[in-house]
Amino acid sequence: MTITIYHNPNCGTSRNTLAIIRQSGEEPDVIEYLKNPPSRERLVELIAAMGMTPRELLREKGTPYADLNLGDPKWTDDEIVDFMLAHPILINRPIVVTPLGTMLARPSEAVLDILPNPNTGPFTKEDGEVVIDAEGKRVV
């Protein structure tokens, strides 16, 4: 079974998501999308699989979003995709693909919904937030 994560190792949410996947017993294909961005075709496929629009996948924080005036509704979906391809940091992360679905795993524990073996046991995020308790139940 193949699980793929489009990952940014500098992002805490992405690191936590990767840790949850590994704790579930899977070793995913890790694509550092800033170094190896998806093709236009693949990015469009991912967006469609998540049921999102390109604009919904845009990341604002720590990106050239404001400098490029991407909040302006004049930009078409195709143009937004072009911006993401030119500046991969604009692609929000982590995107996870499993046989059960594709999602933007924000918050990181959302990935449990598409993992084949979500019974990972207790899990605490890097910042100390408990997301799965000692009984294996998600903390809401």
Side-chain angles (χ1 to χ4, degrees):
M1 172 176 338
T2 302
I3 294 176
T4 302
I5 180 171
Y6 290 84
H7 177 62
N8 179 349
N10 295 321
C11 171
T13 301
S14 197
R15 289 190 306 270
N16 284 318
T17 302
L18 180 56
I20 291 170
I21 294 167
R22 286 179 169 154
Q23 187 168 318
S24 79
E26 300 289 339
E27 183 54 42
D29 290 334
V30 179
I31 299 173
E32 290 190 31
Y33 72 95
L34 295 178
K35 294 179 182 176
N36 299 299
S39 67
R40 167 178 274 284
E41 179 183 28
R42 183 64 178 144
L43 182 57
V44 169
E45 286 173 357
L46 291 167
I47 292 167
M50 292 185 287
M52 303 176 86
T53 66
R55 186 170 295 280
E56 290 170 325
L57 187 60
L58 273 175
R59 180 168 177 81
E60 294 181 39
K61 184 179 173 186
T63 74
Y65 180 93
D67 293 339
L68 296 170
N69 195 27
L70 293 178
D72 191 322
K74 73 179 181 179
W75 303 113
T76 66
D77 285 353
D78 283 340
E79 289 170 324
I80 296 287
V81 169
D82 288 338
F83 281 115
M84 288 183 195
L85 294 171
H87 308 276
I89 194 71
L90 288 166
I91 302 170
N92 211 344
R93 75 275 180 163
I95 298 170
V96 179
V97 181
T98 80
L100 300 178
T102 301
M103 72 167 10
L104 175 63
R106 299 190 75 81
S108 54
E109 60 271 20
V111 76
L112 293 166
D113 294 337
I114 62 168
L115 288 180
N117 180 25
N119 300 318
T120 63
F123 187 83
T124 302
K125 291 182 182 182
E126 291 177 358
D127 66 4
E129 178 187 353
V130 176
V131 294
I132 304 172
D133 66 18
E135 287 81 42
K137 295 181 183 158
R138 286 167 83 169
V139 176
V140 186

